[in-house]
Amino acid sequence: MTLLIGVDVGGTKVLAGEVTTSGRVLRTAVRRTPGRRVSVTALEDALTEAVAEVADGRTPDGVGLAAAGFVDVAGDRVMFAPHLPWAGDDVRRGLSRRWGAPVTLDNDANCAAHAESRLGAARGASSALLVTMGTGIGGALVMGGTLLRGANGMAGEFGHMQVVPDGRACECGRTGCWEQYSSGNALVRHARARVVVEPTVLTDLCRGRPDQLTGPMVTAAAEDGDLVARQAFASVGDWLGVGLAGLVAAFDPEVVVVGGGVSAAGDRLLDPARVALRRSLVGAEHRTVPEVRAAHLGPLAGLVGAALLAHDAR
């Protein structure tokens, strides 16, 4: 049996999984992402541990990496990553030698778009805009069944569009980036600021330490009806719709797909985004506003797409 492994390398965690050729995930392994300020070796050690756990003594026939960063057009190097230590490193060849297996590399949102176009929420659509919401925001655009990569292979870095001049500082070195207002980090930041002045269910979940508050805690509290948590999702969802309006105006896609870890909140995130998209989109009353759908593969879309790309490259 062919052993395909997809690895989603995000700013917060590494998620590896064994994936069948039909896109079914059989088993997964998770490691914490060491962070941008640690060595490349520390990050690649975490990847190696996750891959080894999934492989369970077997030799992979192919490993696909979905990286939260700017991947060169050749699919060899991560040129820059706001939340990871790679900076021009030849990731594909280095890890292929280390693991003794063929490795493919692409941006995480490109991988998710590949999976959702082939198996998920964008299947059958002539054009699709995909936005992934995790630690930050990633994106990809599919037109006529083709993923648009751009001259440098770096198209789709929508999270670093400036939406607020002189706004919040971003890990990329600029200010006012979209992902500072609509992402997993933005969700947690909003909730932490409110918990400090307004004790809620979240206060108990983080044991009175706002710095220990996490995205899953905010999601759980929102499901339980906590007002602060729900307001955090309303804010992040509204900013999501504002950003989507600019992208829809630019590209006019048939469908918009939202994936990544934050998308697990479903309509709690997407309903305010849909309202804000219609409110913010120029000429909305004179056009068909694209449907905003949750990714069918959810937070697994990146690793599934990476594994499918590894299979296609064999």
Side-chain angles (χ1 to χ4, degrees):
M1 179 179 174
T2 302
L3 175 58
L4 299 173
I5 296 178
V7 188
D8 193 344
V9 191
T12 304
K13 68 180 179 182
V14 172
L15 177 63
E18 179 180 354
V19 182
T20 69
T21 54
S22 63
R24 189 159 62 96
V25 179
L26 301 181
R27 58 187 297 175
T28 61
V30 180
R31 292 295 185 275
R32 184 179 64 84
T33 302
R36 185 183 180 188
R37 292 174 176 82
V38 301
S39 68
V40 168
T41 300
L43 172 62
E44 295 185 354
D45 285 347
L47 269 62
T48 299
E49 289 178 8
V51 168
E53 182 177 332
V54 171
D56 193 26
R58 299 168 292 170
T59 300
D61 295 287
V63 180
L65 293 182
F70 293 27
V71 176
D72 71 347
V73 71
D76 292 329
R77 300 175 182 272
V78 178
M79 304 306 296
F80 171 72
H83 307 284
L84 300 170
W86 286 320
D89 298 270
D90 193 343
V91 174
R92 186 183 67 80
R93 289 191 178 90
L95 290 177
S96 181
R97 286 194 298 267
R98 182 169 182 175
W99 296 340
V103 171
T104 58
L105 171 69
D106 206 341
N107 170 266
D108 56 349
N110 286 350
C111 291
H114 181 70
E116 290 293 336
S117 295
R118 190 156 156 180
L119 303 171
R123 187 175 184 179
S126 61
S127 59
L129 169 69
L130 179 107
V131 171
T132 57
M133 296 183 67
T135 303
I137 285 183
L141 185 68
V142 177
M143 289 287 183
T146 300
L147 182 71
L148 301 187
R149 296 180 178 276
N152 296 291
M154 300 175 186
E157 291 295 337
F158 307 135
H160 298 286
M161 300 184 305
Q162 188 181 60
V163 295
V164 180
D166 300 318
R168 293 191 183 108
C170 182
E171 287 84 351
C172 74
R174 300 170 64 85
T175 61
C177 293
W178 185 25
E179 70 174 44
Q180 291 302 313
Y181 302 87
S182 186
S183 64
N185 278 354
L187 179 75
V188 172
R189 184 189 305 113
H190 187 287
R192 284 175 177 170
R194 292 290 304 279
V195 165
V196 171
V197 297
E198 185 179 344
T200 70
V201 170
L202 287 170
T203 309
D204 295 331
L205 289 176
C206 68
R207 298 182 180 180
R209 297 182 59 187
D211 62 311
Q212 299 298 308
L213 198 61
T214 65
M217 290 179 188
V218 181
T219 301
E223 292 300 319
D224 287 341
D226 181 74
L227 182 60
V228 168
R230 291 191 171 190
Q231 288 173 339
F233 271 108
S235 173
V236 168
D238 187 79
W239 274 109
L240 173 59
V242 170
L244 289 178
L247 296 173
V248 170
F251 301 117
D252 195 25
E254 180 181 343
V255 64
V256 174
V257 178
V258 180
V262 184
S263 70
D267 288 340
R268 193 167 304 287
L269 171 73
L270 299 186
D271 279 346
R274 292 170 179 130
V275 171
L277 170 59
R278 285 189 172 274
R279 184 190 72 229
S280 306
L281 179 60
V282 61
E285 65 276 19
H286 304 297
R287 64 194 298 167
T288 299
V289 178
E291 182 183 353
V292 179
R293 303 173 181 170
H296 287 181
L297 299 169
L300 297 176
L303 78 84
V304 170
L308 293 177
L309 286 173
H311 176 265
D312 294 346
R314 295 177 63 227

